[in-house]
């Protein structure tokens, strides 16, 4: 696939994306306390944007520390955004609120929040609904991070509406879909490529990415990539 976008999976559900204009984007930056993130990627010092799918600690992760150090823009669900500002020290001028169905445009990409079937809280406080994030790079690929989710039929609509090229699919089971259900989600979306996430970080996340790959490629036209944590899978 030809693209000017660069992408790394950093373990669990965390990604680093670099746009063709050189803008650095972190999605769900659970890094410093993430046992699956390589040591050389636990600190991120060159970030322009942080995008959050929901408020759980294994997704918000190092957002506040990175935002403070880099003055990056933080995009999150309205309630989570206001919680980070009002109770946790995120600077108000760094916070961008979004909600499901809404699109926010930045330098050379846009972010659309869509539904996810999960829950969301941050340090015991309600953090609004969870979401997925459709990141569309101008004149380039569209990357859809499903967030933490169960399967639901809206995924088929999102595939038709946004036509994503690459999707990040939670398949570790226990807190999200397992491999077979995640493969069915891929069948609904019909993206060209899928990357499994939210597996192996903790013992309960026992879903096997090889099982996910087998189920998906047997029943859909989606090709599954299984990068190592820290590996560039787009460049």
């Amino acid at each position: 696939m030809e693209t000017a976008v660069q992408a790394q999976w950093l373990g669990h559900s965390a990604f680093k994306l670099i746009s063709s204009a050189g803008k650095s984007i972190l999605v769900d930056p659970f890094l410093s306390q993430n046992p699956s993130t390589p040591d050389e990627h636990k600190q991120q010092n060159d970030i322009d944007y942080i995008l959050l799918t929901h408020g759980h600690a294994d997704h918000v992760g190092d957002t506040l520390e990175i935002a403070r150090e880099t003055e990056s823009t933080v995009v999150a669900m309205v309630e989570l955004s206001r919680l980070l500002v009002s109770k946790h020290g995120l600077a108000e001028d760094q916070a961008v609120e979004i909600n499901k169905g809404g699109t926010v445009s930045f330098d050379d990409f846009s972010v659309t929040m869509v539904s996810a079937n999960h829950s969301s809280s941050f340090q015991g406080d309600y953090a609004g609904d969870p979401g997925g994030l459709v990141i569309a790079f101008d004149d380039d690929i569209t990357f859809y991070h499903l967030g933490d989710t169960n399967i639901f039929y809206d995924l088929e609509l999102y595939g038709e509406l946004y036509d994503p090229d690459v999707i990040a699919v939670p398949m570790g089971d226990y807190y999200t879909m397992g491999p077979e259900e995640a493969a069915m989600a891929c069948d609904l979306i019909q993206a060209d490529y899928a990357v499994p996430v939210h597996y192996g970080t903790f013992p309960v996340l026992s879903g096997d990415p090889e099982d996910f790959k087998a189920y998906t490629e047997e029943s859909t036209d989606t090709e599954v990539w299984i990068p190592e944590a820290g590996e560039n899978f787009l460049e």
Side-chain angles (χ1 to χ4, degrees), residues 26-29 50-55 59-61 63 74-77 80 84 98 113 131-133:
L26 286 178
V27 183
D28 286 356
I50 299 172
L51 314 180
L52 299 178
T53 61
H54 65 292
H59 295 261
V60 174
T63 293
V74 178
V75 181
M77 173 61 78
L80 174 57
L84 294 178
I98 196 170
M113 179 170 277
L133 299 171

Side-chain angles (χ1 to χ4, degrees), residues 11 41 68 72 80 116 163 182 190 200-201 205 210:
H41 297 293
R68 184 168 54 249
S72 49
L80 174 57
D163 192 23
Q190 292 292 313
T201 319
L205 304 182
E210 293 292 347

Side-chain angles (χ1 to χ4, degrees), residues 36 46 83-84 99 114 118 147 150 160 183 188 199 218 223:
S36 65
D46 58 347
L83 187 61
L84 294 178
N99 211 320
V114 296
H118 194 60
N150 185 16
E160 293 178 12
L188 292 175
Y199 68 90
E218 179 181 353
E223 181 181 344

Side-chain angles (χ1 to χ4, degrees), residues 52 55 57 60-68 74 79-92 94-95 121-127:
L52 299 178
V60 174
D62 300 287
T63 293
L64 295 167
E65 293 80 5
I66 295 170
R68 184 168 54 249
V74 178
E79 290 84 357
L80 174 57
S81 181
R82 294 182 181 178
L83 187 61
L84 294 178
V85 170
S86 65
K87 294 187 66 173
H88 299 281
L90 177 65
E92 189 168 1
Q94 291 178 249
S121 61
F122 183 66
Q123 296 189 12
D125 289 319
Y126 172 68

Side-chain angles (χ1 to χ4, degrees), residues 2-101:
E2 293 186 6
T3 176
V5 176
Q6 299 176 47
Q8 289 177 309
W9 179 57
L10 299 179
H12 201 59
S13 291
F15 287 85
K16 184 176 184 177
L17 309 172
I18 302 178
S19 75
S20 60
K23 298 299 180 181
S24 296
I25 305 157
L26 286 178
V27 183
D28 286 356
F30 173 51
L31 304 174
S32 65
Q33 302 302 310
N34 183 349
S36 65
T37 300
D39 288 344
E40 63 268 27
H41 297 293
K42 288 183 181 292
Q43 301 295 321
Q44 296 287 333
N45 303 312
D46 58 347
I47 303 305
D48 299 297
Y49 298 93
I50 299 172
L51 314 180
L52 299 178
T53 61
H54 65 292
H56 289 159
D58 59 330
H59 295 261
V60 174
D62 300 287
T63 293
L64 295 167
E65 293 80 5
I66 295 170
R68 184 168 54 249
E69 292 173 3
T70 65
E71 299 183 350
S72 49
T73 296
V74 178
V75 181
M77 173 61 78
V78 174
E79 290 84 357
L80 174 57
S81 181
R82 294 182 181 178
L83 187 61
L84 294 178
V85 170
S86 65
K87 294 187 66 173
H88 299 281
L90 177 65
E92 189 168 1
D93 62 358
Q94 291 178 249
V96 173
E97 301 176 351
I98 196 170
N99 211 320
K100 291 180 287 186

Side-chain angles (χ1 to χ4, degrees), residues 190-206:
Q190 292 292 313
D192 294 328
Y193 303 97
V195 177
V197 300
H198 211 276
Y199 68 90
T201 319
F202 310 108
V204 294
L205 304 182
S206 59

